[in-house]
């Protein structure tokens, strides 16, 4: 693939105003919806081949999200794209003012492997809806999903408008060497910094959807049984390979034993006595990540799980008891089915631990005490979160989804994705039937009137 030629072809297509017609964009999105619906089974099969993701989880967390994002965008695109009237400034009287939603131009989207279909398609839908051209680079670690994604895109779009470029770090590096009008990256903090550096060369705007070490606080007033059930779900869905999964559990000392016992039974209810036999429990994506996670288990004490099978990249749902804050598992984002359990007694204990890490992508607090929960939500800085559940804030498209600090820059979902891929161009139209003389030189004798005017209208 000749990347410079591809990017130039997309830039020419954009410069020829070929992406500006909103009805054409809408028609293309409708065609994409038809194909996405037709291919749902193939996508589900590809996800199973890539890391044994179950059909149920694939529908819940991948295909249905893409389908609803497409339907929502098709329904609202005319309204979202329409220039928006704002109140004119009286100082400009007579005038009107509008915000135009202008596409940036050539957009590069780099996707990760953990929700390889959804995290590639959702930003892509917004970028196309907003009138950009797109080059999408899916992750090389989920080759089956990457292949079907490419087939879908190629069956709907001309390469001049949307192209899928497959490959690993080499290809990604080559793409990042080009000059883009916007880069949307989802992946690790480490690679996010490489992307930001490449973007800085041309001052290209970026969205970085990164990861982090997400705390999950379980207060002594929490409904322990329900908390255990909801944490088991949010932690082990996708085999724990979720950017917003709870990373480490901070449990009030007085409820730790009760919580651990509920957690054990919830794992058994969800995945049976041996989760390795469960059809609903995914595998670690590859051996490199398996080895990274397995090394976190060395020299630790398990409250639950701890079993691994390298042949099959299997790691059992695992709780580690009170690891040291300097241990391997507490160093960085875990991104797997392992949760450290750390007990606390005071709010100061919580602060000492949470503030030790960079601002996380998510924070969860389970508590029956509204005041305590609100305090945790406002005291700590994090991308987004949920009170009394895990990960479900993701499901509300009215909420911005993104990180803060090291967990990312920018946010998207629903209308916000359309807005993210649009430059907001403010334009004032002046009318010619009146031209107040006050602002023009010579200024002699006008200052008092100017001051009165400014007082009245600013
Ligand atoms: P990754 O950073 O290794 O890879 C992401 C993408 O970058 C892939 O397409 C890969 O090919 C490319 N890439 C890898 N190394 C590169 C390099 N040196 N130069 C240029 N491109 C490179 O991430 P991953 O392993 O695919 O995904 C896991 C990470 O993503 C976790 O940290 C997780 O928290 C984060 N994540 C964040 C979100 C979010 O929405 N905030 C969602 C999913 C995953």
């Amino acid at each position: 693939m000749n990347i410079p030629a591809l990017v130039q072809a997309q830039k020419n297509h954009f410069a020829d105003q070929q992406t500006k017609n909103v009805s054409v964009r809408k028609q293309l999105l409708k065609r994409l919806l038809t194909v996405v619906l037709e291919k749902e089974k193939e996508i589900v099969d590809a996800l199973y081949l890539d890391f044994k993701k179950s059909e149920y989880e694939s529908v819940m967390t991948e295909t249905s999200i893409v389908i609803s994002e497409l339907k929502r965008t098709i329904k609202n695109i005319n309204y979202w794209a329409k220039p928006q009237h704002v109140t004119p400034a009286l100082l400009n009287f007579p005038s009107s003012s509008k915000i135009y939603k202008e596409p940036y131009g050539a957009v590069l989207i780099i996707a990760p492997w953990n929700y390889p279909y959804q995290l590639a398609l959702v930003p892509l839908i917004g970028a196309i809806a907003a009138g950009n051209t797109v080059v999408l680079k899916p992750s090389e670690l989920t080759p089956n999903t990457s292949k079907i994604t490419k087939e879908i895109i190629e069956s709907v779009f001309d390469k001049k408008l949307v192209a899928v470029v497959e490959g690993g770090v080499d290809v990604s590096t080559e793409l990042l060497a080009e000059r883009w009008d916007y880069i949307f990256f989802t992946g690790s903090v480490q690679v996010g910094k490489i992307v930001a550096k490449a973007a800085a060369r041309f001052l290209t705007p970026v969205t970085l959807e990164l990861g982090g070490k997400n705390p999950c606080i379980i207060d002594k007033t929490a409904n322990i049984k329900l908390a255990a059930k909801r944490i088991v779900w949010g932690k082990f869905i996708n085999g724990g390979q979720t950017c917003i999964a709870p990373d480490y559990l901070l449990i009030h000392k007085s409820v730790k034993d009760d919580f651990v016992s509920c957690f054990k039974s919830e794992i058994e209810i969800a995945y049976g006595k041996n989760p390795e036999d469960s059809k609903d429990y995914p595998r670690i994506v590859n051996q490199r990540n398996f080895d990274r996670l397995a090394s976190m288990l060395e020299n630790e004490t398990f409250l639950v799980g701890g079993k691994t099978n390298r042949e099959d990249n299997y790691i059992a749902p695992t709780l580690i008891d009170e690891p040291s804050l300097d241990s391997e598992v507490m160093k960085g984002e875990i991104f797997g089915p392992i949760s450290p359990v750390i007990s606390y007694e005071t709010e100061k204990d919580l602060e000492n631990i949470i503030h030790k890490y960079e601002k996380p992508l998510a924070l969860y607090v389970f508590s029956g005490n509204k005041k305590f929960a609100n305090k945790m939500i406002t005291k700590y800085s994090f991308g987004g979160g949920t009170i009394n559940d895990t990960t479900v804030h993701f499901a509300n498209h009215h909420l911005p989804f993104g990180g803060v600090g090291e967990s990312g820059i920018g946010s998207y979902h629903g209308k916000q994705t359309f807005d993210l891929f649009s430059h907001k161009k403010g334009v004032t139209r002046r009318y010619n039937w009146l031209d107040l003389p006050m602002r023009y030189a010579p200024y002699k004798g006008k200052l008092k009137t100017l001051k009165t005017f400014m007082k009245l209208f600013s």
Side-chain angles (χ1 to χ4, degrees):
M1 163 89 56
N2 183 338
I3 288 174
L6 172 67
V7 179
Q8 195 51 54
Q10 290 204 344
K11 285 184 173 173
N12 294 344
H13 189 65
F14 183 81
D16 284 348
Q17 305 297 306
Q18 297 296 320
T19 68
K20 295 281 175 75
N21 187 319
V22 178
S23 349
V24 173
R25 293 182 213 164
K26 193 169 172 175
Q27 282 314 314
L28 286 166
L29 291 173
K30 281 185 179 170
R31 259 169 61 196
L32 180 60
L33 178 61
T34 308
V35 180
V36 154
L37 289 167
E38 274 168 19
K39 301 271 184 189
E40 187 170 13
K41 176 81 176 69
E42 286 175 56
I43 298 154
V44 165
D45 291 347
L47 287 158
Y48 185 80
L49 283 174
D50 280 332
F51 59 112
K52 291 199 177 162
K53 183 159 173 160
S54 68
E55 180 177 4
Y56 192 88
E57 283 195 10
S58 290
V59 169
M60 178 170 56
T61 68
E62 305 259 12
T63 57
S64 67
I65 291 181
V66 170
I67 291 165
S68 57
E69 191 77 3
L70 261 171
K71 286 185 176 168
R72 185 178 309 116
T73 307
I74 290 165
K75 189 173 160 212
N76 292 298
I77 188 171
N78 289 342
Y79 172 59
W80 292 347
K82 226 172 135 177
Q84 182 194 339
H85 271 284
V86 293
T87 313
L90 282 171
L91 286 169
N92 288 336
F93 185 81
S95 74
S96 64
S97 286
K98 277 188 200 172
I99 302 170
Y100 288 79
K101 313 281 178 68
E102 179 185 80
Y104 281 98
V107 168
L108 170 65
I109 297 174
I110 301 180
W113 61 264
N114 65 327
Y115 290 87
Y117 179 64
Q118 186 246 112
L119 292 174
L121 267 283
V122 170
L124 181 134
I125 293 163
I128 298 165
N132 301 281
T133 64
V134 179
V135 169
L136 165 69
K137 198 209 77 69
S139 173
E140 70 281 20
L141 301 192
T142 37
N144 296 290
T145 313
S146 173
K147 186 166 168 267
I148 181 78
T149 303
K150 188 173 162 74
E151 279 169 26
I152 290 172
I153 297 299
E154 286 184 349
S155 72
V156 177
F157 300 99
D158 191 296
K159 279 193 176 57
K160 291 192 296 251
L161 179 59
V162 186
V164 176
V165 178
E166 292 183 283
V169 178
D170 291 357
V171 169
S172 212
T173 307
E174 212 181 323
L175 286 166
L176 287 171
E178 293 296 318
R179 181 171 187 163
W180 300 94
D181 297 300
Y182 203 101
I183 301 176
F184 186 102
F185 171 80
T186 308
S188 60
V189 171
Q190 190 196 356
V191 180
K193 288 178 181 173
I194 296 172
V195 172
K197 208 167 168 185
R201 273 179 62 216
F202 301 112
L203 289 181
T204 303
V206 284
T207 294
L208 301 175
E209 293 283 336
L210 311 176
K213 209 161 173 58
N214 308 320
C216 178
I217 303 165
I218 301 123
D219 171 41
K220 58 177 184 281
T221 62
N223 177 334
I224 298 298
K225 191 167 161 35
L226 195 55
K229 187 177 182 179
R230 289 176 173 175
I231 296 168
V232 164
W233 180 78
K235 177 67 193 179
F236 301 119
I237 195 168
N238 218 43
Q241 302 160 115
T242 303
C243 55
I244 48 170
D247 186 286
Y248 59 103
L249 311 182
L250 296 165
I251 306 183
H252 195 274
K253 206 173 176 177
S254 60
V255 291
K256 181 179 162 187
D257 292 346
D258 190 14
F259 177 83
V260 172
S261 128
C262 291
F263 202 83
K264 266 187 202 165
S265 43
E266 290 301 335
I267 291 177
E268 209 174 306
I269 292 168
Y271 304 113
K273 275 209 176 331
N274 183 11
E276 198 167 0
D277 298 333
S278 166
K279 289 205 167 9
D280 295 331
Y281 190 68
R283 295 300 182 258
I284 305 307
V285 72
N286 61 12
Q287 223 148 55
R288 187 170 56 85
N289 274 287
F290 172 90
D291 291 340
R292 180 182 66 78
L293 290 162
S295 75
M296 295 179 187
L297 302 178
E298 283 165 22
N299 306 318
E300 299 291 359
T301 312
F302 307 124
L303 292 163
V304 186
K307 193 179 160 202
T308 61
N309 177 0
R310 193 168 190 268
E311 299 283 281
D312 194 24
N313 291 334
Y314 167 77
I315 297 185
T318 298
L319 282 188
I320 296 183
D321 194 19
E322 309 285 348
S324 135
L325 294 187
D326 301 319
S327 62
E328 207 50 41
V329 77
M330 288 308 292
K331 270 191 189 140
E333 181 186 14
I334 298 171
F335 212 59
I338 302 169
S339 247
V341 174
I342 300 170
S343 51
Y344 75 91
E345 283 181 274
T346 65
E347 286 185 27
K348 189 72 194 153
D349 295 341
L350 287 177
E351 187 184 312
N352 288 342
I353 299 168
I354 295 171
H355 277 164
K356 197 173 139 52
Y357 299 96
E358 295 289 339
K359 294 175 183 177
L361 184 60
L363 180 144
Y364 304 106
V365 52
F366 287 82
S367 178
N369 178 344
K370 220 170 163 181
K371 213 167 140 196
F372 173 79
N374 285 341
K375 190 170 175 189
M376 295 300 106
I377 293 299
T378 47
K379 177 172 180 177
Y380 298 109
S381 181
F382 54 94
T386 308
I387 299 170
N388 290 330
D389 206 340
T390 59
T391 74
V392 296
H393 59 291
F394 181 91
N396 183 351
H397 65 88
H398 297 294
L399 289 176
F401 182 76
V404 58
E406 269 220 355
S407 57
I409 298 172
S411 55
Y412 72 126
H413 280 185
K415 179 178 184 294
Q416 296 154 108
T417 315
F418 184 95
D419 287 343
L420 178 144
F421 285 112
S422 307
H423 161 61
K424 267 68 83 200
K425 188 155 80 181
V427 176
T428 292
R429 179 187 298 273
R430 292 276 279 121
Y431 300 111
N432 295 344
W433 53 266
L434 181 69
D435 195 30
L436 295 172
M438 200 177 56
R439 72 175 149 137
Y440 299 107
Y443 302 129
K444 194 163 179 267
K446 293 179 180 172
L447 189 61
K448 208 171 156 205
T449 324
L450 176 76
K451 282 187 174 173
T452 315
F453 232 78
M454 295 305 274
K455 228 185 204 166
L456 279 173
F457 297 125
S458 56

